[in-house]
Amino acid sequence: MRKKRDAEGTKSRVLKSAEKLFARKGFNGTSIADISKDSGISDGLILYHFKSKDKLYQEVIERVAARYMQVFEGFRENNLPPAEMMKESLREVFGFWRTDSTYNRISLWAYLERREATAVNEARLTAGLAAYLASLQESGHFPREIDPVVFLSTIIGPIHFWFRYKTRFAEILKLTEKDGALDDHFLKQFTLMLTSFFRDPNGPKKAV
Amino acid sequence: MRKKRDAEGTKSRVLKSAEKLFARKGFNGTSIADISKDSGISDGLILYHFKSKDKLYQEVIERVAARYMQVFEGFRENNLPPAEMMKESLREVFGFWRTDSTYNRISLWAYLERREATAVNEARLTAGLAAYLASLQESGHFPREIDPVVFLSTIIGPIHFWFRYKTRFAEILKLTEKDGALDDHFLKQFTLMLTSFFRDPNGPKKAV
Amino acid sequence: MRKKRDAEGTKSRVLKSAEKLFARKGFNGTSIADISKDSGISDGLILYHFKSKDKLYQEVIERVAARYMQVFEGFRENNLPPAEMMKESLREVFGFWRTDSTYNRISLWAYLERREATAVNEARLTAGLAAYLASLQESGHFPREIDPVVFLSTIIGPIHFWFRYKTRFAEILKLTEKDGALDDHFLKQFTLMLTSFFRDPNGPKKAV
Amino acid sequence: MRKKRDAEGTKSRVLKSAEKLFARKGFNGTSIADISKDSGISDGLILYHFKSKDKLYQEVIERVAARYMQVFEGFRENNLPPAEMMKESLREVFGFWRTDSTYNRISLWAYLERREATAVNEARLTAGLAAYLASLQESGHFPREIDPVVFLSTIIGPIHFWFRYKTRFAEILKLTEKDGALDDHFLKQFTLMLTSFFRDPNGPKKAV
DNA sequence: TATGAATGAGGGTTCATTCAT
DNA sequence: GATGAATGAACCCTCATTCAT
């Protein structure tokens, strides 16, 4: 059939299909034949370009992880006051999860299948943010008695959780707002809870 | 070898092996032959008792889910003051995750594979707790402006998160306490953060 | 189709086909599918019984080698005078090669494909015979100036050679005797040449 | 990379690699990709020059066979006395096998795979020598009662045999001379045995 | 000539499932 | 209830070959 020679085009079509299918069914649940069918690229050619299914998966994970990391670039550069920056970050991270549902699933599969790439990235990222919070503690913008890692778990954990269970919640609690509105509601509430922990070192102590 | 006809014994041995292996490698990563090898029960007999690999998996998930639900039975029965009960609940949930690492993984696999059993259970449980919190809002023990579902996400999400990333954190942050101590530290800090949201409707406003 | 449960029967049918095909086309030239077609046993079942193509090949080689070794058992036991025994041995070895053309080919494939089993057997056998010749040298029945290994090469080498080239010779030299007669002629001539090396230590020196 | 259009250079590089690899692993054990990797010539170009893997193999065999034949040209030309000439031939043939270990293997593969080229050459050569021996029988320089073909088998067979098994022998018999010395020893002994068959028609009968 | 993208058949092997025993 | 022989489909991967560039 297609004998056009377009290596890059082929690779990107394969990666796109592979990402979709790996996200949906995981590594073991996705066969090269599935990817071949979805992308229209023959089995042989997929292996020709990516050497092995394993390496293809790796490449998918890395692509996805890179996308995730991009969200956090430039965070440190801006000079917003901490509470504002926290709000901003939350909005960005939340927005990413909301848009790129693929990342969530790929990252979970990778975790379960013990592929390190994403887990390492994520932990490193969290650790980086933790260091930043520690510096805020130094300057008195963030309460010293709260462990930054614990605090960050309290930020990111609920977001993971929300996207994992929100449709179930909507069903069970018979929430009638449509999906987008639910997300907005969650984000607003959640932001409110978290920003209460930040304070102006010179101003009065904020209470919950 | 084992020719003793002991249906129940056989089934429970299979379930035990299957749970272990499914937790470790997921449905697609575990073969009947693996389970047979681990349990000492022949392939044929496994299928004889469970009809198919899929039904066996389903049974494993349900068993695991039932174990999880048990933890929360009798919560409503006690009459502790809300903040105390929250602490108590946290300790129990956390303790469960800590002990039963199998649950965590099986539940995640099931989520990704869109098997409903655990996800439904978990959401139902969260919804139940949400209803309870709403009643506390009625009685003025819990701030009305916080959405109970959001609040619960903030409780359970970080616990999930913690058990998913803690070893990575320990590596990256070069935490030297041993595993148990880390868990204790997290729980204490986390409890501190969360209980600050509860207040005595008659007493003074609590600050962080 | 065939669902009779007859493990031994199945294995021996596979081994028979495998031996035939490996002899004809070697390890790399024979596919499991070929063996399956020839034996009527499904691919899956062949691997079920033999674990891997490699192990199947190994088993074929060992079976064939065992057959070869049997020819030489009991050689040392008889008490014929050396020259007689040499004749006897030659007849047996030659007879084996003549009958069991499979051995020849399997052994050659194994040599080229660097499977050690047969080569080791054969070399060990030759070495054993060399030791025997050395003892004849001690007792004066075999000339001391001839190296036993060299001598044995002179026995077995030509037999290998004959069976490798005889049909070609017959063509080129337009030998009209039929195959069996050619073999007989070769054996007779060859025996004559070789026995001339043995002598009665007490009798007159034999000349060619 | 190499874009210089140099048909002959390309072909000879391919042939060199192909010969090496075919000798080592045989036709079925060597892929075009292997040859491509070893020679640095792209898959496509190899097929372009040689039409098919099979034809390439054929060409390799023929090249190798031609090299073998060269060794024996000019044998008949010299006028050495028969026994001397026999010694001389032995030394040459032996030397060829010793140096060109590739020939040995390629010729064996070709034999097993029923590719005629080498086998025909070799048999034709032996037949030619046989005719020469027959002429010596006429002139009384070689015993009439010995069949020339049988005699030649006795010359060439052991040489084949020796190069096939010598490393094994060295291992099993714990021969400590190094390889070259073993070869020399074999050749000397072997020459001794064989020349004993030649005699001076006018002189006394030689005994072993 | 020269490259390497593209194909499709076939390679060995695993696997869920069936069924004779 | 219990075993393991038997099957056939699917799996990942390799390969000779073709052909656009």
Side-chain angles (χ1 to χ4, degrees), chain D residues 10-166:
Chain D
T10 300
K11 286 184 80 167
S12 89
R13 288 172 59 167
V14 171
L15 282 168
K16 206 176 144 211
S17 287
E19 182 180 314
K20 182 175 77 181
L21 295 173
F22 283 142
R24 203 177 284 162
K25 311 269 254 165
F27 181 78
N28 286 308
T30 304
S31 71
I32 300 271
D34 291 337
I35 299 170
S36 165
K37 221 166 291 158
D38 189 83
S39 63
I41 309 295
S42 67
D43 299 35
L45 194 52
I46 295 175
L47 271 306
Y48 171 78
H49 280 299
F50 296 93
K51 289 338 180 204
S52 74
K53 187 187 172 191
D54 215 89
K55 291 213 180 78
L56 167 59
Y57 188 50
Q58 210 58 32
E59 207 154 312
V60 166
I61 289 179
E62 275 156 24
R63 229 171 62 120
V64 159
R67 220 157 60 209
Y68 185 62
M69 293 308 277
Q70 268 181 357
V71 179
F72 301 95
E73 284 179 7
F75 257 32
R76 207 76 60 80
E77 278 68 14
N78 69 48
N79 276 320
L80 295 170
E84 280 313 299
M85 183 173 149
M86 178 55 48
K87 267 192 217 168
E88 186 62 23
S89 311
L90 263 184
R91 224 186 16 253
E92 292 234 35
V93 175
F94 193 85
F96 179 80
W97 284 96
R98 189 185 209 163
T99 321
D100 192 338
S101 67
T102 300
Y103 181 78
N104 193 357
R105 292 183 65 86
I106 290 270
S107 155
L108 268 179
W109 287 113
Y111 163 66
L112 288 172
E113 289 156 350
R114 301 181 210 280
R115 317 246 170 187
E116 307 293 86
T118 53
V120 168
N121 265 356
E122 288 163 16
R124 199 183 322 259
L125 183 63
T126 310
L129 294 173
Y132 170 66
L133 281 184
S135 77
L136 292 185
Q137 288 178 320
E138 294 291 313
S139 59
H141 290 85
F142 186 73
R144 283 170 208 271
E145 65 273 20
I146 297 179
D147 183 319
V149 169
V150 175
F151 182 73
L152 285 163
S153 301
T154 314
I155 293 175
I156 308 172
I159 297 178
H160 285 210
F161 190 83
W162 173 251
F163 285 106
R164 179 165 164 195
Y165 290 104
K166 66 171 182 173

Side-chain angles (χ1 to χ4, degrees), chain A residues 105 112 116 122 165 168, chain B residues 105 112 116 122 165 168:
Chain A
R105 293 183 62 87
L112 288 172
E116 307 293 86
E122 290 165 13
Y165 291 104
R168 290 268 159 262
Chain B
R105 292 183 65 87
L112 288 172
E116 307 293 86
E122 288 163 15
Y165 291 104
R168 289 270 161 259

Side-chain angles (χ1 to χ4, degrees), chain A residues 23-25 28-30 97 104-109 111-114 116 118-120 122-127 130 143 145-147 149-158 160-165 168-169 171-173 175 185-186 189-190 192-194 196-197 199 205-208, chain B residues 23-25 28-29 97 104-109 111-114 116 118-120 122-128 130-131 143 145-147 149-158 160-165 168-169 172-173 175 185-186 189-190 192-194 196-197 199 205-208:
Chain A
R24 200 176 285 161
K25 313 268 250 164
N28 285 314
T30 304
W97 285 95
N104 192 1
R105 293 183 62 87
I106 290 267
S107 156
L108 270 178
W109 285 116
Y111 164 65
L112 288 172
E113 290 160 347
R114 301 180 208 280
E116 307 293 86
T118 54
V120 168
E122 290 165 13
R124 200 183 319 259
L125 185 60
T126 309
E145 64 272 21
I146 297 178
D147 183 317
V149 169
V150 176
F151 182 73
L152 285 164
S153 300
T154 314
I155 294 175
I156 309 174
H160 285 211
F161 190 81
W162 172 252
F163 285 105
R164 180 164 164 194
Y165 291 104
R168 290 268 159 262
F169 288 154
E171 274 171 37
I172 291 169
L173 297 173
L175 306 178
H185 173 67
F186 178 86
Q189 279 277 325
F190 187 49
L192 191 71
M193 285 184 62
L194 288 178
S196 70
F197 287 95
R199 55 190 161 189
K205 199 175 172 187
K206 260 188 203 157
V208 179
Chain B
R24 201 175 286 160
K25 312 267 252 163
N28 286 309
W97 285 96
N104 192 0
R105 292 183 65 87
I106 290 270
S107 156
L108 269 179
W109 287 114
Y111 163 66
L112 288 172
E113 290 155 350
R114 302 180 210 278
E116 307 293 86
T118 53
V120 169
E122 288 163 15
R124 200 184 318 261
L125 184 62
T126 308
E145 66 273 20
I146 298 179
D147 183 317
V149 169
V150 176
F151 183 73
L152 285 163
S153 300
T154 315
I155 294 175
I156 309 173
H160 285 210
F161 190 82
W162 173 253
F163 284 106
R164 179 163 163 195
Y165 291 104
R168 289 270 161 259
F169 288 153
I172 290 170
L173 297 173
L175 305 178
H185 172 69
F186 178 86
Q189 279 275 327
F190 187 50
L192 191 70
M193 284 185 63
L194 288 178
S196 70
F197 288 96
R199 53 190 159 188
K205 204 172 168 186
K206 259 185 201 160
V208 180

